Amino acid sequence: SNPAFRASFRRPILAELASTLLVLTGAYPVVLVGLQRVVGPWLGPFNPDFTYPPLWGALALGTLAGALVTYPYHLWMTRRGVIRWGMGATGEAAPARPMAWYVQLPLALAALGLMVAAVLLATSLPPG
């Protein structure tokens, strides 16, 4: 029954999907290349496990790359009024303008295409 709570579910799902795909577009190549080229020669035939510190370093760098790729998209969405942050003077979340599905779908498909291209590019690079 809380209007702010209901408004949080009105965010465009395809726009959020595009955001997630853009994060993966930046993160996947950085993590893959970082593990193959930087960490891989140290390990030889062994695989890193989740307690291996350079793995977490590569994941942290991948997260930063994903944030850098996604930042312009979120800035654009905020300027369009699709995403709103913070509370208004009344203490309720500022209303966001809805985005039509026929605008969201091409954005999500473009982000998916970018992610697939980044994955293919990262996996086609020669190791070492």
Side-chain angles (χ1 to χ4, degrees):
S1 63
N2 185 345
F5 183 71
R6 280 186 285 151
S8 68
F9 286 102
R10 291 192 182 134
R11 284 204 174 154
I13 187 71
L14 292 173
E16 294 295 332
L17 177 64
S19 175
T20 302
L21 293 171
L22 287 173
V23 169
L24 292 174
T25 299
Y28 185 82
V30 170
V31 171
L32 183 69
V33 170
L35 289 177
Q36 281 182 347
R37 295 187 179 219
V38 177
V39 179
W42 297 343
L43 295 176
F46 303 106
N47 289 327
D49 61 3
F50 286 115
T51 61
Y52 191 61
L55 171 70
W56 292 102
L59 290 173
L61 289 175
T63 302
L64 288 173
L68 290 174
V69 170
T70 309
Y71 180 75
Y73 173 75
H74 276 268
L75 188 62
W76 177 69
M77 295 293 278
T78 302
R79 287 186 178 163
R80 282 190 52 128
V82 175
I83 298 174
R84 296 277 187 203
W85 300 106
M87 298 291 197
T90 61
E92 293 185 18
R97 291 187 304 174
M99 182 182 275
W101 69 269
Y102 53 83
V103 176
Q104 292 180 47
L105 186 61
L107 285 173
L109 291 175
L112 178 64
L114 279 173
M115 186 195 71
V116 169
V119 168
L120 291 175
L121 179 67
T123 55
S124 68
L125 292 174

